[in-house]
C-alpha cells in the first residue's frame, strides 16, 4: 500500500478541496484561531461553538466532527456528549484528540469513555496514546518524529514533518481537525487519517525551508497548507510500513 499511497493521498486532497467539507471543532480554546485558519487554508469550513444550546445544531450541519480535550470543563463535557449524540444519530465521522490526558487521570477516564462511543480515529502523542485502550475498530494515530497510523494489521509510518511544529502551539490540534476534514470525503478511516498526516507533514517540511524560527514558521505553514498540491505530495512523500 505504501508505494501507491502518495497518489491516493493527492487525490483525496483534490476531493477535499472540491467538496469544501464543514468540520465542527470542539477545540482547545487556546488554538481555535490557528485551527480555523488551517482548515480554511486547506479548503474546509470550520465552526467552533461549544454552547450546549447550539452544538447539536452545528454538528448536524457539519460533515465531520473533531473532539479535542485540551481545555476541558463541565460545560464542554456536556457539549461533547450532546455533539456525540448528534454524530451517532446522523452517522457522521468524528475524531478524538485526548489532549493532555497524561496530565489528568479524570481526563484520561473521560477519554476512555469517549473511545467507547466509536470515533473513526484517535490522534494522540506517545505519552497520551499509551494511557488509553484503543478499540480495534478505531484508527490510532500516534504523532511524533514519525507519525504512526495503525488499525489492526494495517500500519503505516509518515516520516515527513519538521521539528519547528513542536514549537508552535496548535499544530497537533490542527492535525486532528485535518483528519476530520479528510474523513468527510473518504470512507476508509485508515486511508483518510494517513492522507491527512502526510499532507500535514509535507506542508511542515515546505514551511521549514523558509522559516527562521517558530514565529516565521506558523504563517509559512499556513501558506503551505493553502498552496500544497498533488505534485508536492507525490514528490516529497516518505511513507513506510511501520516497524512498531
Amino acid at each position: 500500500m505504501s508505494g501507491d499511497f502518495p497518489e491516493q493521498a493527492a487525490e483525496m486532497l483534490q476531493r477535499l478541496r472540491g467538496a469544501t467539507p464543514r468540520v465542527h471543532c470542539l477545540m482547545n480554546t487556546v488554538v481555535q484561531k490557528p485551527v480555523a485558519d488551517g482548515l480554511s487554508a486547506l479548503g474546509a469550513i470550520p465552526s467552533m461553538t461549544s454552547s450546549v444550546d447550539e452544538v447539536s445544531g452545528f454538528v448536524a450541519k457539519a460533515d465531520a466532527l473533531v473532539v479535542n480535550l485540551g481545555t476541558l470543563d463541565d460545560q464542554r463535557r456536556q457539549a461533547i456528549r450532546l455533539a456525540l449524540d448528534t454524530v451517532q444519530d446522523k452517522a457522521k465521522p468524528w475524531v478524538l484528540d485526548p489532549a493532555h490526558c497524561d496530565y489528568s487521570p479524570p481526563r484520561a477516564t473521560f477519554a476512555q469513555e469517549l473511545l467507547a462511543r466509536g470515533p473513526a480515529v484517535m490522534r494522540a502523542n506517545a505519552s497520551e496514546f499509551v494511557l488509553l485502550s484503543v478499540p480495534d475498530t478505531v484508527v490510532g494515530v500516534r504523532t511524533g518524529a514519525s507519525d504512526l497510523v495503525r488499525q489492526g494489521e494495517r500500519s503505516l509510518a509518515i516520516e515527513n514533518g519538521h521539528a519547528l511544529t513542536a514549537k508552535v502551539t496548535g499544530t497537533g490540534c490542527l492535525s486532528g481537525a485535518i483528519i476530520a476534514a479528510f474523513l468527510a470525503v473518504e470512507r476508509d478511516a485508515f486511508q483518510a487519517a494517513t492522507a491527512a498526516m502526510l499532507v500535514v507533514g509535507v506542508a511542515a517540511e515546505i514551511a521549514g525551508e523558509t522559516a527562521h524560527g517558530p514565529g516565521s514558521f506558523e504563517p509559512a505553514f499556513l501558506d503551505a497548507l493553502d498552496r500544497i498540491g498533488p505534485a508536492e505530495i507525490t514528490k516529497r512523500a516518505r511513507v513506510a510500513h511501520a516497524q512498531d
Side-chain angles (χ1 to χ4, degrees), residues 200-229:
V200 169
V202 171
E205 285 185 353
I206 294 170
E209 290 173 354
T210 57
H212 302 290
S216 54
F217 179 83
E218 185 172 7
F221 182 48
L222 189 64
D223 287 345
L225 287 172
D226 178 64
R227 296 172 185 169
I228 192 170

Side-chain angles (χ1 to χ4, degrees), residues 2 10 25 33 39 48 50 95 107-108 114 119 136 151 168 213 221 236:
S2 58
C25 308
K33 186 180 187 303
L39 283 173
M48 293 277 175
S50 61
V95 176
R107 186 175 299 197
L114 298 183
D136 291 340
Q151 184 180 35
V168 176
F221 182 48
R236 293 174 177 262

Side-chain angles (χ1 to χ4, degrees), residues 152-214:
E153 298 300 315
R154 305 167 80 185
S155 60
L156 288 174
I158 308 299
E159 297 172 356
N160 298 91
H162 196 278
L164 281 173
T165 57
K167 296 187 176 183
V168 176
T169 301
T171 52
C173 299
L174 174 58
S175 68
I178 289 175
I179 291 170
F182 274 83
L183 284 171
V185 299
E186 173 54 52
R187 295 182 63 182
D188 185 324
F190 180 86
Q191 296 227 38
T194 309
M197 297 310 300
L198 177 57
V199 168
V200 169
V202 171
E205 285 185 353
I206 294 170
E209 290 173 354
T210 57
H212 302 290

